[in-house]
Amino acid sequence: MKLTGSIGAALGALAVTVSLGATPAAAAPNPPLPGPIPLADTWYQEPGNVADYAPGDVIRARAAEVRYPANTAWPVVTATQLLVRSSDAHGAPESTAATVVVPNRPWTGPGERPLLSLQVPTDSLGLQCNPSVELTQGADSDLALVAPMLALGYAVVATDYEGPEMAWIAGYQAGHAVLDGIRGAQRHAPLGLSKSPVVMYGYSGGGQATAWAAQLKASYAPELNVLGAAEGGVPGNLAELSARQPAAGFTAWGSLLGLSRAYPEKVRPQDYLNADGIAFATGLTNQCLPDLLKNTNNVSLDQYSTVGNIPDVPSVREVFEINSLGRTADTPDMPLYVFHDSKDTLIPDWAMTGVVQEYCDRGVDVQFVSGPGVDHVGFALLGIPGAYKWLDDRVMGRPTTPNCGAPVVPGLS
């Protein structure tokens, strides 16, 4: 029987569809993992016109009270919190908070009261973990650790350098925020720090933020008078660390999740993890360092991965390279004091010694100090006196003692 008319046409179209195969609907992209939970304190809220401010401009300020330990105020200092305009990892405008602590005693050294830019090892994914929150709750021991500099009369600025998305280990993000925190402290006239010489200090994650601020200062904040930077336990070569270190524990998970917030198009954990892994990662996305350490202990990325070794994903590898120090023409324009323990198992010294050599080759004034084998946490404490002494020497105008190429620098090639 011959089929004619509309019935025949319809059946003919069906036959063509069946023979060619129907075009499937595009799969919906996997949604990104959640970011940090916003703080209830509306003082932190970014204004809609943040782009109208210049980097380092103060958006708003308030008096604060720093405490350590909890419920114990420090009556010998005056604290001020600033919301400043900064730039994210790509240069887009954002805001971040900086806490400035000024001792209630006159500066008796030469010139103006110096300003110490202190980068605490935040290493966290939740906004409540930032120094602007923890310093006022007595939860941050770094204030006690910096007490010797306060006793000498130094003012201190501690910036929430991971930014509003808590982009852990994102170097450009951190460097911009540190420099803008310094700018804000100097531009806020009531603090009286506009002419202060500046030195910078940080260890571990804080050392990484300090190192990026030092590297970016000449191009991003050339007007700042930074006399020197002391940076310890720095994960300088993220690319090599991710390639040689097991992808387990809080550094692996923190780096993956933190970098996904700064580079959401290139680092997409939602595409690399199975359902259980996504649930596990989601549980981490607002945690502070103590909980991250506990909850990721001996938990590897591999056990949840659907793509093999996640750091080998090309776009992820690219981001690790971008956030490794010494990869571009940006070069520190101030002396550096780099200290790293010789038996650091969390961040081995080879993660920074190659960067030191690169800086030396570029003519940077670097003093490298190798620790006595007390591991990462041990040298965080033992390394402080030497670092503070070196910073104070910069303020006092004493000569540096660089040792580029000397045997004291292990692991250089």
Side-chain angles (χ1 to χ4, degrees), residues 89-90 170 172 259-268 319 322-323:
H90 309 281
Y172 286 90
L259 291 173
S260 75
R261 296 172 176 183
Y263 303 87
E265 301 303 316
K266 294 181 180 294
V267 182
R268 297 175 53 84
V319 170
I322 290 170
N323 289 277

Side-chain angles (χ1 to χ4, degrees), residues 306-389:
T306 62
V307 295
N309 186 31
I310 292 174
D312 287 338
V313 173
S315 60
V316 177
R317 173 68 50 199
E318 178 187 353
V319 170
F320 279 124
E321 288 284 349
I322 290 170
N323 289 277
S324 293
L325 291 161
R327 293 296 207 269
T328 69
D330 288 310
T331 303
D333 64 351
M334 77 287 290
L336 302 180
Y337 180 90
V338 181
F339 57 111
H340 212 119
D341 192 63
S342 60
K343 299 292 178 63
D344 191 328
T345 56
L346 181 65
I347 303 173
D349 59 2
W350 47 255
M352 193 58 187
T353 50
V355 177
V356 169
Q357 182 64 71
E358 177 64 28
Y359 287 162
C360 286
D361 291 346
R362 298 184 191 185
V364 180
D365 181 326
V366 184
Q367 180 174 345
F368 186 94
V369 175
S370 181
V374 291
D375 210 348
H376 189 77
V377 174
F379 206 42
L381 299 175
L382 289 183
I384 285 177
Y388 286 174
K389 173 64 167 58

